């Protein structure tokens, strides 16, 4: 026990550990309580009891890519596809703004129907209507010039999980026409342009080892992102990985705490996948160091069509008001949802 106490203290104080020590923390459950307590304290130092909301608008489930883990991959002929119009997207924002959202996340598959021109038109319409809000895009890999155009139109954040920082592992998760080097190029371009950037991984994705997780932590140190999105890998029957087991709740929570200690300033969501693998998954995430939740703002009618994995929560009629549901859940673990743009705090206040 003492041995782990020393490791957690050093991790907290120096925001780093030798890889051997990180490996031992990743591979044991003996330090989980210590990690959680330290992460919780650090999170309070930087962010108090605030939990930031991001309104997630899943505006298209068309995708040209074929990632082996993802339910909306191009090769899934069973998926019913949909796209939201600019008007529909704006109406989600209107509803969200009234509910206290000050960040809108436009997420979708890589859908060529939304040309740069269309994305810019949507972004600038939101920018004009909601000058006090952050606009986050999560629409995959694009040329640098496209990222620049969206930024100039008013987007200020971008989420693009790197998925894995290990070339060989990347190859096992993606077909040959995708590459880790292009994904990294995208992340560094986005940063240089001036976006607040989010990277991240699925915990327990097929073939993932502790070695891969260590490489992910090192890559994140190099990138120094503003946000880190992690959630458990979850199976989907209509993918090549249909027989692969789900990732683990415990390891996801352990990683959330480790991330909070290594990146004390970071915006760390308690993700929908975490809420899907366990009924109190997001609450457990908040207690392990997370400080962001991303309620679904998509029209209820399309929510179950945006199925990256099975049994996704918040898809039924009862889920029209995720905001209220999450507010109660956040309160139940001693935090408060705030009406705030929720920018990153790089310095301890
Ligand atoms: N299980 C969990 N997360 C998934 N994602 C995609 N497919 C799955 C799945 N089967 C994650 C990826 C992607 C993000 C939008 O959702 O990490 O970047
Ligand atoms: Fe969507 Fe609880 S967060 S119903």
């Amino acid at each position: 026990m003492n041995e782990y106490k020393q490791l957690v203290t050093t991790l907290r104080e120096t925001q780093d550990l030798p890889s051997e020590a990180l490996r031992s923390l990743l591979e044991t459950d003996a330090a989980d309580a210590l990690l959680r307590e330290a992460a919780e304290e650090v999170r309070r130092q930087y962010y108090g009891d605030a939990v930031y909301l991001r309104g997630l608008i899943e505006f298209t489930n068309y995708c040209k890519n074929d990632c082996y883990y993802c339910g909306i991959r191009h090769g899934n002929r069973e998926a019913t596809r949909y796209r939201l119009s600019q008007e529909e997207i704006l109406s989600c924002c209107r509803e969200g703004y009234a509910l206290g959202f000050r960040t809108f996340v436009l997420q979708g598959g890589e859908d060529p129907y939304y040309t740069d021109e269309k994305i810019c038109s949507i972004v600038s319409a939101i920018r004009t209507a909601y000058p006090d809000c952050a606009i986050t895009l999560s629409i995959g890999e694009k040329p640098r010039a496209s990222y620049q155009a969206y930024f100039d139109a008013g987007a200020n954040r971008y989420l693009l999980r790197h998925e894995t920082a290990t070339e060989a592992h990347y190859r096992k998760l993606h077909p040959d026409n995708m590459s880790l080097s292009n994904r990294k190029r995208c992340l560094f371009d986005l940063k240089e342009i001036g976006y607040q950037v989010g990277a991240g991984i699925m915990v327990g994705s097929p073939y993932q080892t502790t070695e891969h997780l260590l490489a992910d932590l090192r890559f994140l140190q190099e990138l120094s992102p503003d946000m880190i999105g992690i959630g458990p890998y979850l199976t989907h029957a209509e993918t090549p990985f249909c027989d692969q087991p789900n990732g683990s709740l415990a390891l996801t929570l352990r990683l959330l705490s480790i991330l909070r200690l290594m990146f004390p300033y970071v915006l760390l969501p308690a993700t929908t996948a975490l809420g899907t693998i366990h009924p109190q998954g997001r609450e457990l995430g908040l207690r392990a160091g997370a400080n962001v939740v991303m309620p679904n703002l998509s029209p209820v009618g399309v929510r179950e069509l945006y199925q990256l994995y099975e049994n996704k929560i918040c898809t039924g009629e009862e889920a029209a008001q995720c905001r209220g549901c999450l507010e109660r859940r956040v309160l139940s673990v001693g935090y408060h949802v705030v009406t705030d743009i929720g920018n990153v705090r790089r310095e301890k206040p």
Side-chain angles (χ1 to χ4, degrees):
M1 195 56 166
N2 244 345
E3 168 203 352
Y4 291 124
K5 197 162 192 153
Q6 190 52 55
L7 290 185
V8 173
T9 305
T10 309
L11 180 58
R12 177 180 177 162
E13 283 171 1
T14 66
Q15 284 123 54
D16 204 0
L17 280 177
S19 295
E20 260 324 297
L22 281 173
R23 186 199 327 274
S24 70
L25 287 177
L26 284 167
E27 289 182 342
T28 182
D29 61 6
D32 285 350
L34 290 167
L35 283 169
R36 190 170 56 240
E37 284 155 26
E40 151 111 282
E41 273 179 44
V42 168
R43 169 252 200 281
R44 280 190 190 270
Q45 283 175 349
Y46 276 73
Y47 290 99
D49 69 355
V51 169
Y52 300 110
L53 291 182
R54 315 295 195 208
L56 186 62
I57 304 169
E58 300 152 336
F59 70 97
T60 173
N61 73 346
Y62 282 82
C63 192
K64 68 180 170 65
N65 292 337
D66 244 331
C67 308
Y68 301 142
Y69 46 82
C70 183
I72 65 166
R73 63 200 300 273
H74 177 255
N76 177 7
R77 299 301 144 98
E78 300 302 314
T80 305
R81 306 285 173 169
Y82 73 91
R83 293 183 174 114
L84 299 186
S85 67
Q86 177 163 322
E87 209 23 72
E88 287 172 306
I89 295 170
L90 279 164
S91 122
C92 293
C93 296
R94 201 170 310 128
E95 198 178 314
Y97 192 89
L99 288 166
F101 291 90
R102 294 297 176 267
T103 295
F104 304 116
V105 182
L106 270 54
Q107 185 174 92
E110 292 197 13
D111 180 358
Y113 168 85
Y114 294 91
T115 56
D116 287 354
E117 208 181 342
K118 286 205 180 74
I119 296 291
C120 288
S121 158
I122 293 166
V123 168
S124 52
I126 301 175
R127 176 51 62 232
T128 305
Y130 306 100
D132 56 332
C133 290
I135 303 173
T136 306
L137 293 176
S138 179
I139 55 175
E141 299 177 19
K142 306 277 178 179
R144 181 176 178 130
S146 303
Y147 289 147
Q148 185 68 57
Y150 312 151
F151 189 80
D152 296 341
N156 25 34
R157 299 181 185 152
Y158 206 101
L159 307 181
L160 182 71
R161 292 189 180 173
H162 63 286
E163 314 296 359
T164 173
T166 305
E167 183 65 43
H169 188 215
Y170 195 91
R171 290 268 58 85
K172 294 199 147 138
L173 303 180
H174 302 96
D176 283 347
N177 64 343
M178 294 180 71
S179 76
L180 178 58
S181 59
N182 192 51
R183 206 146 181 104
K184 289 185 174 173
R185 188 273 304 159
C186 289
L187 285 162
F188 288 106
D189 277 352
L190 288 161
K191 251 196 112 164
E192 272 174 33
I193 290 169
Y195 284 94
Q196 292 182 38
V197 169
I201 60 162
M202 295 173 287
V203 180
S205 61
Y207 313 108
Q208 184 181 68
T209 64
T210 308
E211 235 27 64
H212 297 146
L213 292 175
L214 289 171
D216 290 321
L217 294 174
R218 297 305 177 208
F219 171 69
L220 290 168
Q221 287 179 318
E222 181 192 341
L223 179 68
S224 184
D226 304 283
M227 297 164 258
I228 303 177
I230 69 163
Y233 163 76
L234 298 167
T235 319
H236 191 295
E238 300 297 331
T239 67
F241 284 166
C242 55
D243 294 326
Q244 300 278 352
N246 284 348
S248 119
L249 171 69
L251 183 56
T252 307
L253 296 172
R254 190 176 305 149
L255 260 166
L256 281 172
S257 298
I258 291 174
L259 288 169
R260 172 60 65 205
L261 296 175
M262 291 180 73
F263 306 89
Y265 61 83
V266 87
L267 293 159
L268 203 54
T271 54
T272 306
L274 197 52
T276 298
I277 202 170
H278 185 281
Q280 261 83 51
R282 288 167 298 177
E283 290 89 325
L284 292 167
L286 292 171
R287 295 178 63 187
N291 64 335
V292 171
V293 287
M294 302 177 67
N296 200 320
L297 264 184
S298 311
V300 173
V302 303
R303 285 189 195 180
E304 71 176 19
L305 302 179
Y306 197 82
Q307 222 176 94
L308 309 182
Y309 45 77
E310 284 163 6
N311 306 314
K312 182 186 162 211
I313 51 172
C314 304
T315 60
E317 284 299 324
E318 80 290 350
Q321 292 301 348
C322 283
R323 158 83 216 233
C325 168
L326 269 171
E327 182 137 27
R328 284 189 298 279
R329 288 172 182 269
V330 166
L331 275 173
S332 78
V333 283
Y335 295 103
H336 280 92
V337 166
V338 293
T339 297
D340 186 297
I341 192 163
N343 281 318
V344 72
R345 294 191 185 162
R346 288 267 174 183
E347 309 297 329
K348 209 187 288 189

